[in-house]
Amino acid sequence: MDREVQFIGQSSAFLDAVERASRAAPMRRPVLVIGERGTGKELIAERLHRLSTRWQEPLVTMNCAALPETLIEAELFGHEAGAFTGATRARAGRFEEANGGTLFLDELGTLSMGAQERLLRAVEYGEVARIGANKPIMVDVRIVAATNENLPRMADEGRFRPDLLDRLSFEVITLPPLRVREGDIAVLADYYARRMAAELGWPSWPGFAAHVARAMEDYAWPGNVRELRNVVERAVYRWDDPARAIGHIQFDPFESPWRPASPVAAPVTGAAPGAAAGGEAPAPAPALRPDLDAVTDLRGAVDAHERAILEHHLGRNRYNQRQTAKALGLTYDQLRHCLKKHGLLERGDVA
């Protein structure tokens, strides 16, 4: 695999999933890959193909959510000329394109019931029929499907065919989210950061400041590895001092003091200023706060919070103390006193 699709990680949860994919790869049976967005489902599908006896044959990918329901069946199974309006010539479907190889169906849970029924026949008997054709075509295709949906629950609710689920679930590989992959956040962050630093022509990689490394470990990463890569590469390219450890990281790229507010309903005539239609002002979003019940050492908790604020704003202001003091509403001397109190003046990245 090329440098864009490498498996990076050392946690047991991650390595177990990769090892299961490696064991399943030589089999001719279908495999389901389950996982949150950004966990690497397509990489697992490629591994299943590359380590199989079909590795020299086509690996065809289809995102089932990318097409309207009316076109999915034509895309999967192909069509004959004149089969429907706009079908001016015959076209092979993805099953025919993947003949002898692997067909990767991403976002499987979005398939319509009609497409599921035809897919079941293709998996069960190895035959597909183009739309508008009289005779089926025999194909030899290994199916790998992926989704972030709960397919057993969808089957119970009548939104996914149980018989198709049974046929596709010979092996189910569930990928762990990044937040439970112990030790992998630091490994992945270092890998993507070094690549970005090399791309920018930095002479060396200075690493991450301790508070930035802690912030990455504490973050939930809802977008998993894909999100981590964006966050890390953005932090590196925005940092303008290659000789100093990365001191600021922004998880939300939309974060801004000028971020447009969500629109609210126009007030009704005669309503008090700021009141929404219906006579009540929209309730403000509740502010997030730490778990106060967990605090058993008030002085220590206050000191830790104050230190975290100082580290964050120092990094955000590129360790310029006068700008940091201004951002925090302190005088330069007051900031210096706080830095000394927390031992931050003794660090090499604070001048």
Side-chain angles (χ1 to χ4, degrees):
M1 298 184 183
D2 63 31
R3 68 193 297 265
E4 294 297 326
V5 293
Q6 295 185 51
F7 282 94
I8 303 167
Q10 60 186 15
S11 67
S12 58
F14 171 74
L15 294 178
D16 285 348
V18 174
E19 193 272 339
R20 179 174 288 190
S22 301
R23 289 177 62 89
M27 306 295 292
R28 299 169 59 90
R29 308 292 180 82
V31 176
L32 270 178
V33 185
I34 312 295
E36 298 177 5
R37 61 186 173 95
T39 49
K41 296 187 290 294
E42 189 164 355
L43 298 186
I44 289 291
E46 182 166 347
R47 185 176 188 86
L48 287 164
H49 177 74
R50 300 300 178 197
L51 296 182
S52 73
T53 57
R54 301 167 179 258
W55 65 274
Q56 290 183 305
E57 301 299 329
L59 169 61
V60 177
T61 298
M62 175 176 163
N63 187 332
C64 301
L67 293 170
E69 183 177 329
T70 53
L71 293 180
I72 286 179
E73 292 187 47
E75 191 69 22
L76 271 176
F77 307 109
H79 60 79
E80 297 292 349
F84 50 85
T85 303
T88 57
R89 59 186 178 85
R91 183 182 183 280
R94 299 297 177 93
F95 266 95
E96 291 180 67
E97 293 175 2
N99 193 21
T102 304
L103 176 60
F104 174 50
L105 299 176
D106 200 6
E107 302 291 349
L108 178 72
T110 63
L111 276 183
S112 66
M113 295 299 286
Q116 290 178 35
E117 183 175 356
R118 297 192 65 178
L119 176 60
L120 174 62
R121 185 167 186 83
V123 175
E124 189 74 36
Y125 300 107
E127 62 179 38
V128 297
R130 294 182 181 180
I131 296 176
N134 295 322
K135 294 183 178 180
I137 302 170
M138 299 303 296
V139 292
D140 175 20
V141 175
R142 199 257 185 101
I143 301 291
V144 177
T147 185
N148 58 7
E149 300 279 359
N150 187 328
L151 292 183
R153 184 173 64 192
M154 289 180 64
D156 291 341
E157 295 171 352
R159 295 185 293 124
F160 198 87
R161 293 184 63 101
D163 45 1
L164 177 60
L165 181 60
D166 291 341
R167 193 66 183 85
L168 292 177
S169 57
F170 167 76
E171 177 64 286
V172 179
I173 300 172
T174 303
L175 301 182
L178 183 57
R179 59 184 173 273
V180 304
R181 290 172 52 177
E182 186 176 355
D184 284 356
I185 292 174
V187 171
L188 285 159
D190 185 75
Y191 172 77
Y192 289 123
R194 287 178 181 274
R195 283 203 341 178
M196 178 55 74
E199 183 178 332
L200 295 172
W202 287 12
S204 62
W205 166 234
F208 293 102
H211 68 282
V212 170
R214 287 197 304 270
M216 288 192 291
E217 291 291 342
D218 293 341
Y219 185 62
W221 299 109
N224 293 289
V225 178
R226 187 182 296 118
E227 181 185 15
L228 179 141
R229 176 177 176 174
N230 284 337
V231 168
V232 167
E233 291 183 345
R234 182 168 59 243
V236 174
Y237 109 86
R238 286 181 176 178
W239 193 248
D240 55 8
D241 189 353
R244 177 173 284 173
I246 305 293
H248 181 66
I249 195 166
Q250 183 179 16
F251 296 103
D252 182 2
F254 298 96
E255 178 187 341
S256 170
W258 304 282
R259 184 174 182 170
S262 300
V264 295
V268 297
T269 304
E280 295 183 2
L288 297 177
R289 64 175 186 173
D291 182 5
L292 301 183
D293 290 337
V295 175
T296 57
D297 178 1
L298 177 61
R299 188 179 298 278
V302 170
D303 285 346
H305 188 58
E306 184 176 85
R307 181 189 176 95
I309 292 173
L310 290 169
E311 289 177 325
H312 171 81
H313 282 277
L314 280 167
R316 186 167 190 169
N317 290 282
R318 304 293 194 269
Y319 296 101
N320 184 305
Q321 293 183 32
R322 294 194 181 277
Q323 290 184 9
T324 302
K326 183 178 180 181
L328 292 174
L330 302 173
T331 66
Y332 177 73
D333 289 338
Q334 287 173 330
L335 176 68
R336 296 280 297 183
H337 174 75
C338 290
L339 295 177
K340 183 177 180 180
K341 170 185 172 183
H342 293 286
L344 295 177
L345 284 178
E346 300 168 3
R347 287 169 33 175
D349 54 0
V350 179

